[in-house]
Amino acid sequence: MSEPLTNTRALHIAKRPPRTRLDVWPRRTPRRWMLRGIFALPYVIFALVVSALGATESPNATLVERATRIDWDRADAQWLGDIFPPISTLLAGFVPGGALSLSIIGALSAGVFLQKLIEIMVQRRFARSTIVILMMALALNPLFFYNATQNYSAFLGLLLFGLGLSHIVRFVTWGNTESGFRVGLYFMVAVLTDVTALVYVTAAALSAPFLRHRREGAKGARRANALVILYPAASALVSLAVLNSLFLGRPFAGATQSAFTGFGDRLVIVGEFFSTVEGVIVIAPLISAWLIALIVRRPGAIIISTLVFGAFIVGFALGLLPSGSTGNIFMSLTLLAIALIPTARTRNGTVMISSVGVFQLLIGWATALTSTAFALWASQMFVG
């Protein structure tokens, strides 16, 4: 009796639309972890080589140094502000091995993320050629290697942002409730891992209403969806701001204490940056995202990508993003483009998306080769 019921259930699952399913890929766990290990291997080797060459200055090293200055025996409001963002700070403070350990953890995280990214594209039934090109554009970029192995906190924030974006589309457009809770948790962990994730979460808040909702006529559907997405992250940040205000007299402390100070001066610096070659190339990923939005006939995605790009600019001006974060813009807009590509496509659409993917690959290398911050970091290994 149980066998027919089992077969019926399996048939029902097989008939469900792919967009409402979260099937893992590869289906077998050993193969899935083997694929993650294969993806992580180049980044692990890169981290070891960089360490052997003696590059000592990196965001990971700065994070470890900051963690060593924290008095871990305290538990007051000032201490709470000092450890923000807590997840990356706690990791840097208690994981043995210092910056190299963070580099290895980042490399392993990259392997898991790339497998998850392919899983998302397989679930969306992307063409194999499109998957290969988009993966090459993202994973074979020097900036991806740098962020994965040298800037763990920012890299993890980006990974969570990318995964959250894919679940936003599932939740808002396709009505997958499980995805709504997942994206809320992804964003909450992101803002507790890296202060720059505040930019990503803000961009998501501004972008969610522009997605096509499953129930356009339902009253308050857009507000309810936005609340589900942002409530975990917003509650964590508001709670921290309230504690800082009550005990320290200011809402920001630790890594966020420079926000809203010197805004005008930094805005001038941002304007001057876009008059350079590096600044002009940074705009190219935005154009690429616009092209994909036009190809897949989602004009709302143009607004979304523009808002995300604008959020980065505001983040620079507020001091939430360091000056060497141009690679974050490239990776976030690439992840955004992947998240917004729909399941159903024509053959011509596949060819055009793949062409934009090739363009994105070239943009990534151009961004890396013109990045001043990346060049300064690389010079440590080859210049005495």
Side-chain angles (χ1 to χ4, degrees), residues 117-132:
L117 195 61
I118 293 182
E119 181 178 275
I120 290 169
M121 290 189 280
V122 170
Q123 290 170 350
R124 302 275 187 86
R125 294 181 296 174
F126 281 26
R128 290 185 180 180
S129 59
T130 303
I131 294 175
V132 171

Side-chain angles (χ1 to χ4, degrees), residues 46-343:
F46 182 80
L48 295 174
V49 170
V50 168
S51 178
L53 291 175
T56 57
E57 296 182 9
S58 68
N60 281 348
T62 302
L63 178 61
V64 171
E65 182 183 359
R66 184 169 72 85
T68 58
R69 295 197 303 263
I70 296 175
D71 184 1
W72 295 102
D73 294 330
R74 293 164 48 199
D76 52 27
Q78 179 67 50
W79 176 83
L80 187 63
D82 290 340
I83 70 169
F84 187 84
I87 293 178
S88 56
T89 306
L90 288 169
L91 192 65
F94 290 96
V95 171
L100 177 59
S101 293
L102 293 183
S103 297
I104 299 299
I105 293 173
L108 297 176
S109 301
V112 175
F113 173 70
L114 292 175
Q115 179 270 323
K116 294 296 292 183
L117 195 61
I118 293 182
E119 181 178 275
I120 290 169
M121 290 189 280
V122 170
Q123 290 170 350
R124 302 275 187 86
R125 294 181 296 174
F126 281 26
R128 290 185 180 180
S129 59
T130 303
I131 294 175
V132 171
I133 292 171
L134 290 176
M135 288 291 291
M136 289 176 60
L138 186 66
L140 296 184
N141 186 283
L143 292 173
F144 193 88
F145 275 80
Y146 169 76
N147 278 280
T149 62
Q150 306 301 313
N151 193 1
Y152 178 72
S153 60
F155 183 69
L156 184 57
L158 274 172
L159 302 195
L160 294 167
F161 172 70
L163 294 174
L165 277 176
S166 66
H167 286 284
I168 282 181
V169 175
R170 284 193 177 108
F171 172 57
V172 175
T173 306
W174 298 336
N176 190 306
T177 306
E178 179 185 354
S179 290
F181 290 105
R182 286 192 180 192
V183 67
L185 294 176
Y186 278 135
F187 284 163
M188 181 186 70
V189 177
V191 299
L192 295 177
T193 301
D194 180 44
V195 66
T196 61
L198 292 169
V199 176
Y200 313 146
V201 173
T202 301
L206 295 173
S207 302
F210 293 97
L211 289 171
R212 184 171 53 195
H213 285 54
R214 181 171 60 101
R215 296 182 178 180
E216 293 291 349
K219 185 177 181 180
R222 293 177 183 270
R223 291 193 298 271
N225 288 339
L227 182 62
V228 170
I229 291 169
L230 298 174
Y231 176 76
S235 60
L237 292 176
V238 170
S239 299
L240 181 64
V242 170
L243 287 174
N244 286 333
S245 299
L246 289 175
F247 294 99
L248 303 179
R250 62 181 186 275
F252 301 101
T256 60
Q257 61 186 356
S258 63
F260 302 105
T261 59
F263 177 80
D265 294 337
R266 281 194 289 262
L267 196 59
V268 172
I269 295 174
V270 170
E272 294 174 350
F273 170 75
F274 282 105
S275 64
T276 65
V277 175
E278 181 182 359
V280 172
I281 291 178
V282 166
I283 302 175
L286 177 62
I287 298 175
S288 180
W290 288 350
L291 290 174
I292 288 182
L294 293 174
I295 291 170
V296 301
R297 297 179 182 179
R298 284 188 172 177
I302 295 177
I303 300 175
I304 296 172
S305 56
T306 304
L307 288 173
V308 170
F309 186 83
F312 272 99
I313 305 307
V314 174
F316 280 119
L318 290 177
L320 296 177
L321 278 77
S323 58
S325 300
T326 53
N328 293 359
I329 298 178
F330 165 78
M331 288 191 289
S332 64
L333 289 175
T334 302
L335 294 172
L336 177 65
I338 293 173
L340 294 178
I341 296 175
T343 298

